[in-house]
Amino acid sequence: MPNKLSPERPSPAGMPMALRPHRIRGVIPALLLARHAIAPDDAIAFLPRDAREQATFDRLRANGIVRETAPGRFFFDLDAHYAAVERRRRLAVPIAIIVSVLIAWIATRFFRG
C-alpha cells in the first residue's frame, strides 16, 4: 500500500527515455543534455573548445553516442549511450568474478592448517 503522505513516483523503467533522470558524466554529454539535444530534431551546433574536448568528442562520435544530423549539428543518443554502458558491464562482471576468485584462492594459500 503506498504511503499517503508521499506522492507516487513512476518507476524509471516505465518512463520514456527522454524523461528519465540521467547520471552521465563528462563536459560534452552534460552540455548536450542541458540543452536537451537528445534527438535528431533537437540537434545543436557544437564545436569542441580544446584538444582534450576534441579527443572526447571524437571518441563519442566513433562509438555512435554523439551523432551528427547536419554539418556541425549534433545530438546525444541516449539509447546508444546505455547500450555502451551495458556492453562494458557485461565485460566487467565476469572479469570481476574471476579476479575475486583468484584473490580468494591466493588468500587461502597463506593459511596453514
Side-chain angles (χ1 to χ4, degrees):
M1 173 175 247
N3 183 350
K4 299 291 183 188
L5 298 176
S6 63
E8 276 189 51
R9 285 187 267 163
S11 72
M15 295 173 71
M17 183 69 73
L19 299 177
R20 292 182 188 175
H22 302 287
R23 293 184 181 134
I24 300 172
R25 295 181 295 170
V27 174
I28 295 170
L31 175 77
L32 293 172
L33 290 173
R35 300 205 34 214
H36 197 68
I38 58 172
D41 296 339
D42 301 326
I44 61 169
F46 180 77
L47 185 63
R49 294 175 289 195
D50 56 19
R52 189 177 71 199
E53 229 176 63
Q54 183 66 48
T56 302
F57 184 69
D58 291 340
R59 190 181 77 247
L60 289 170
R61 286 195 63 200
N63 291 333
I65 297 170
V66 171
R67 298 182 185 229
E68 186 173 23
T69 57
R73 298 189 64 81
F74 302 93
F75 73 97
F76 191 84
D77 189 347
L78 290 169
D79 292 327
H81 167 74
Y82 285 117
V85 168
E86 183 63 22
R87 280 192 305 273
R88 284 192 302 269
R89 187 194 65 77
R90 271 191 258 127
L91 177 65
V93 168
I95 291 172
I97 291 170
I98 291 168
V99 169
S100 298
V101 169
L102 184 62
I103 290 171
W105 180 79
I106 291 170
T108 59
R109 298 289 106 207
F110 289 106
F111 290 109
R112 306 247 186 238

